[in-house]
């Protein structure tokens, strides 16, 4: 299984929105609604921010939203804040109890 | 609050076996809705799923690592462990343990909701 494809970087000014794509295949992203997104600050463990494509864990602000169309999932961060500057990774179920992560996107708040 | 903590040697020689343990506190490893997983992250690179284990011992491994990976569980100690054999410099990474929410109320889940802080393992002679 190959890593899901994400853009290496994305940026926006405070208050703006940024959208990150996560492209897979019909065997992973396109085949299941088990896409999750993780935020990782430098030197820290990843933190779950979206699960099952578009659901929020408790405590995660609704500025983070997820969606999916075909083989591509997307994470949108609205109302960018300085603390949103981090690396973001998508993950998808890939069948036969396999999981795959995305290549990661570094979000910069200008 | 559930907590996971990785432990094990920070330096492993090439061709030897990497061994790590994850200790779970604040909750039972034997709960039916969860698998327990290992994920690694080479320095400056992305996340790589290694494999998962259920409290019963059922395992699933990344096909690219399957020949070298063994994950085991000790429910009496609320721990699960990773062994990676024949390591090379390419196995140098931060290794994370995490809980995979797998199934609940007749629905599958498949996301990691709790993570350990991670431990750096360097492969070098």
């Amino acid at each position: 299984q190959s890593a899901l494809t994400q853009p290496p970087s994305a940026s926006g000014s405070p208050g703006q929105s940024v959208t990150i794509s996560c492209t897979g295949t019909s065997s992973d992203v396109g085949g299941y609604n088990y896409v999750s997104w993780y935020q990782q600050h430098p030197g820290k463990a990843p933190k779950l921010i979206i699960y099952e494509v578009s659901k929020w864990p408790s405590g995660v602000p609704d500025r983070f939203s997820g969606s999916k169309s075909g083989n591509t999932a997307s994470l949108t961060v609205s109302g960018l804040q300085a603390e949103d500057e981090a690396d973001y990774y998508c993950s998808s179920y890939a069948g036969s109890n396999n999981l795959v992560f995305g290549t990661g996107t570094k979000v910069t708040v200008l | 609050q559930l907590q996971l903590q990785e432990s094990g040697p920070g330096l492993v020689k090439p061709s030897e076996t990497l061994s790590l343990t994850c200790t779970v506190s604040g909750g039972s490893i034997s709960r039916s809705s969860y698998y327990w997983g290992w994920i690694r992250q080479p320095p400056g690179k992305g996340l790589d799923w290694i494999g998962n284990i259920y409290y019963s011992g059922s395992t699933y491994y990344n096909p690219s690592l399957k020949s070298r990976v063994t994950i085991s569980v000790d429910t009496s100690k609320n721990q699960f462990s990773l062994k990676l054999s024949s390591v090379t410099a390419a196995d140098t990474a931060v290794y994370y343990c995490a809980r995979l929410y797998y199934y609940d109320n007749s629905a599958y889940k498949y996301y990691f909701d709790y993570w350990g802080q991670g431990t750096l393992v360097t492969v070098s002679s």
Side-chain angles (χ1 to χ4, degrees):
Chain A
Q1 58 197 31
S2 299
L4 308 175
T5 301
Q6 298 181 233
S9 62
S11 62
S13 299
Q16 290 187 332
S17 295
V18 64
T19 297
I20 303 165
S21 61
C22 169
T23 301
T25 69
S26 58
S27 297
D28 39 61
V29 174
Y32 308 95
N33 288 323
Y34 300 129
V35 176
S36 50
W37 289 90
Y38 302 87
Q39 177 192 60
Q40 186 181 35
H41 287 108
K44 300 294 187 181
K47 173 189 173 185
L48 177 71
I49 55 172
I50 293 286
Y51 66 95
E52 293 175 15
V53 176
S54 60
K55 298 179 181 179
W56 295 278
S58 174
V60 173
D62 59 6
R63 301 186 295 104
F64 295 92
S65 61
S67 63
K68 191 185 86 167
S69 178
N71 295 337
T72 298
S74 298
L75 172 73
T76 297
V77 187
S78 304
L80 267 176
Q81 299 181 5
E83 59 262 35
D84 298 333
E85 186 160 295
D87 294 326
Y88 291 82
Y89 293 91
C90 60
S91 177
S92 176
Y93 180 67
S96 301
N97 285 287
N98 291 320
L99 292 160
V100 61
F101 283 99
T103 51
T105 298
K106 181 177 180 60
V107 169
T108 301
V109 181
L110 302 171
Chain B
Q1 178 76 345
L2 191 76
Q3 292 186 317
L4 294 87
Q5 179 69 57
E6 305 89 351
S7 59
L11 181 64
V12 181
K13 290 182 168 54
S15 79
E16 295 190 344
T17 297
L18 178 159
S19 296
L20 295 173
T21 295
C22 182
T23 300
V24 179
S25 58
S28 173
I29 202 170
S30 300
R31 285 190 63 182
S32 60
S33 296
Y34 306 102
Y35 270 73
W36 303 88
W38 289 97
I39 303 100
R40 69 180 183 177
Q41 185 172 35
K45 296 188 178 181
L47 301 170
D48 189 24
W49 172 67
I50 299 172
N52 301 325
I53 190 165
Y54 198 55
Y55 74 91
S56 64
S58 174
T59 54
Y60 297 100
Y61 300 137
N62 186 324
S64 67
L65 296 169
K66 188 175 183 178
S67 63
R68 298 195 292 131
V69 173
T70 301
I71 299 176
S72 58
V73 64
D74 186 338
T75 55
S76 67
K77 295 182 179 178
N78 231 32
Q79 294 176 335
F80 62 105
S81 298
L82 169 70
K83 290 187 184 302
L84 182 65
S85 64
S86 305
V87 297
T88 69
D91 295 309
T92 293
V94 174
Y95 285 77
Y96 294 100
C97 60
R99 187 179 80 169
L100 178 76
Y101 197 174
Y102 168 70
Y103 187 84
D104 193 30
N105 293 327
S106 303
Y108 290 99
K109 301 291 183 181
Y110 292 111
Y111 56 87
F112 292 103
D113 57 355
Y114 286 92
W115 295 66
Q117 65 186 25
T119 187
L120 175 62
V121 179
T122 301
V123 178
S124 175
S125 56

